[in-house]
Amino acid sequence: MSTVTYLDIFKYFLYIGCTGFGGPLAVIQQMRTDFLKKNWVTESEFDQSFAFIKALPGPIAFQVAVFNAFKLKGFVGALMAAFLLIT
């Protein structure tokens, strides 16, 4: 796994927040592709987290972003992802 910085989280979720379109499943697939390409999570980790998140109520793309950012950089990373995704 590569080392993820707060700047990486900031830039990535600002990018997704500004350019993500096509509905929540398209945004999730883009996050999955990018996370795997950047080696931030493994394929099985992302798939397991997505399966868990689908059982929860609420906006699914937002929850996937916050959950994975929390796994990468804790509470501050999750807060950054939440704010930047809806920007």
Side-chain angles (χ1 to χ4, degrees), residues 8-83:
D8 293 333
I9 296 289
F10 180 85
K11 289 190 303 188
Y12 181 73
F13 285 104
L14 180 62
Y15 162 75
I16 287 292
C18 292
T19 63
F21 64 93
L25 294 179
V27 172
I28 291 168
Q29 182 59 36
Q30 184 64 45
M31 282 191 279
R32 183 179 192 274
T33 302
D34 293 340
F35 284 6
L36 294 177
K37 188 183 300 180
K38 293 173 187 279
N39 203 22
W40 286 357
V41 296
T42 65
E43 188 173 356
S44 64
E45 285 176 333
F46 191 91
D47 292 344
Q48 288 174 358
S49 67
F50 181 63
F52 172 71
I53 290 166
K54 285 194 312 186
L56 301 174
I60 192 166
F62 178 80
Q63 289 178 343
V64 167
V66 170
F67 182 79
N68 283 298
F70 181 79
K71 285 188 349 185
L72 293 171
K73 289 307 277 183
F75 179 76
V76 174
L79 192 61
M80 288 171 59
F83 179 74

